[in-house]
Amino acid sequence: EARLVVSGGGSGEAGQARRLSCAGSALNFDTYYQGWYRQAQGKECELVSTRRSDGVIWYAQSVKGRFAVSTNDAKNTIYLQMNNLKPEDAAVYYCVPADLGTVASWPCSRLNTWGQGTVVTVSA
């Protein structure tokens, strides 16, 4: 079955940067969207970013200007560069390959469909 490996999480302080990676056969940059979601402890999940198959990227207002998505097609990997981290960015981060109809409304309960997310903690 198609799996994804999300990595790059860890602990840091506010203001620092971190880059997350999501790699695996479930990614198809040419035909599917990719979404980055996060879920903080005790909260509903939040859509952080989506990347369209033509490369257009959308960011949530809470991360716009601080986070950036990029891809390495040769490695079948999508990245989430997170700069100027804030304590409110602390969460488990997941990547979700989906189509137009579902990428922005993925159920929180299914975020781990392709594997475990990666934990990001940010101290003030």
Side-chain angles (χ1 to χ4, degrees):
E1 62 181 1
R3 302 292 292 176
L4 295 176
V5 177
V6 184
S7 60
S11 299
E13 297 181 349
Q16 292 182 338
R18 184 168 295 279
R19 189 177 78 161
L20 307 183
S21 301
C22 174
S25 59
L27 294 176
N28 187 324
F29 299 135
D30 293 333
T31 59
Y32 281 95
Y33 285 57
Q34 299 83 42
W36 280 99
Y37 278 81
R38 65 186 181 187
Q39 187 165 27
Q41 191 170 7
K43 296 185 178 181
E44 287 293 303
C45 62
E46 175 188 9
L47 178 63
V48 174
S49 176
T50 61
R51 180 191 179 278
R52 223 163 61 178
S53 55
D54 61 0
V56 175
I57 299 171
W58 170 89
Y59 297 98
Q61 191 62 39
S62 58
V63 306
K64 190 176 292 185
R66 299 188 298 121
F67 288 14
V69 170
S70 61
T71 61
N72 184 321
D73 291 11
K75 295 183 178 181
N76 213 38
T77 300
I78 187 167
Y79 303 98
L80 181 65
Q81 176 67 43
M82 306 185 297
N83 299 323
N84 190 22
L85 283 164
K86 302 177 179 181
E88 52 264 42
D89 295 321
V92 182
Y93 283 75
Y94 302 86
C95 67
V96 173
D99 58 29
L100 172 61
T102 57
V103 68
S105 59
W106 199 260
C108 297
S109 60
R110 295 182 57 197
L111 286 176
N112 60 353
T113 296
W114 295 277
Q116 300 297 315
T118 191
V119 179
V120 174
T121 59
V122 184
S123 57

